[in-house]
Amino acid sequence: MLKKNSTLALACALALTLSACSSGSNGTTPDATNKPANKGSNQEAGASDTPENVTLRMAWWGSQPRHDYTLKVIELYETQNPHVTIEPEYASWDDYWKKLAPQAAASQLPDIIQMDLSYLAQYGENGVLSDMTPFLNDPIDTTNIADTVVDGGKIGDKLFGFNLGVNALGFQYDPALLQKMGMSDIPDEWTWDDYMEMAVKAKNAGIYVDTGMRAEVFLAYYLRTQGASLFSADGTQLGYDNDQLFIDHFSRVTKIVLDGAGMTPDQKAQLKGPEDDPAVKGEALGIWQWSNQFVGFQQLAQRDLAMQPMPGPNRQEGMFLKPSMYFSISENSKAKEEAAKFINFFVNDIEANKLILGDRGVPGSSVVKDALRPELTPQQVQVFDYIAWAEENSSQMDPPDPIGAAEVFTALTTVAEQMEYDKLSVAEGAKQFREEANKILAKNK
């Protein structure tokens, strides 16, 4: 069982933990020129049916295309609900969590918070997120959303986040660059050996094979293919006993960087934002990332791109459908029901989803999915088709990450960078990571 301490102490610990995240790039905060205009009630003051004016703060992370369409969704909602004003707060991934942590410690979180699976348990069990169960069905209509989609935001019997869509891991790449490398396609049943050979061809063609793998995400995938997991079931230690699994995975990742087929940590740190990514600029074959990010990648790259499932062997055991992200409601919110009404609009309104077009994951509502099909570009159809394929070729998702996962991920990122700098052997990295991770997770006993 996880220890339950006081809300204040846990919130302070949360701030210290999350502030350790590495700084991101090009985080932005909206100013008066890009924030939707405030809207008051257009009904006569004092009328009995006049809703009380309410202001909601809403926070999310993402690239500029996500910021742009989210602001349009907010504007659409405010037009239909003139008593509501929504104040947007958005940033890049790293900057987002650095800002959210002190807000959580001070009980000043936005009313609506975009939440990631890796942080759901940490925020939820620290008492800063509201249980959304009372809002299911009214005002959040789940009639056309499968229980498995809704339950993806549960910790125990409490719903701390409403699933905004599902996605799956894969390799997103430029077919024209693949041709430049002398390859007509990537084999359907490709393996990690195929990937290593592809890296050599990319280097010989004067490009990177990719722009790196997020350490914890792709280690977790590889562990799943080997019948293991990153965390133990009770969240008190790592979920794998054999460090050879760590060595096998990171030997490949590190070799690609040290051989010059991948970017060094210094080069990645110099990127100013997603638009500066070598894969966007045609200087790298592709990106390892979630399917919902393909649309934004396509918009930035402005050329035809393709999607490829993860390598094997044992791909089906490794693949899983992940809640792309959630909307959570903060416990400190004074307008929880109004926040829930907006979330219902976001997940169920057809016109809103014609603006979103699956960027936050393939929608859970069957009605929304059917309505969007005629609106989709060929690239967006690829995402929907990829998820349909993944539904038939994946295994059950691991449980939500335990408290302390963010610290574990930071430790893993640091070790991965040291290995890529050739300052730490992969075997030494495996040992160091195990010691640091188990020390962090032992606090959950």
Side-chain angles (χ1 to χ4, degrees), residues 18 43 75 92 147 179 280 323 362 376 438:
L18 297 184
Q43 299 180 355
E75 186 175 10
S92 65
D147 290 342
Q179 296 280 345
V280 170
V362 173
L376 301 178
N438 282 342

Side-chain angles (χ1 to χ4, degrees), residues 207-220:
I207 60 174
Y208 297 121
V209 67
D210 57 48
T211 55
M213 296 184 185
R214 191 167 147 192
E216 75 275 8
V217 172
F218 293 93
L219 173 61

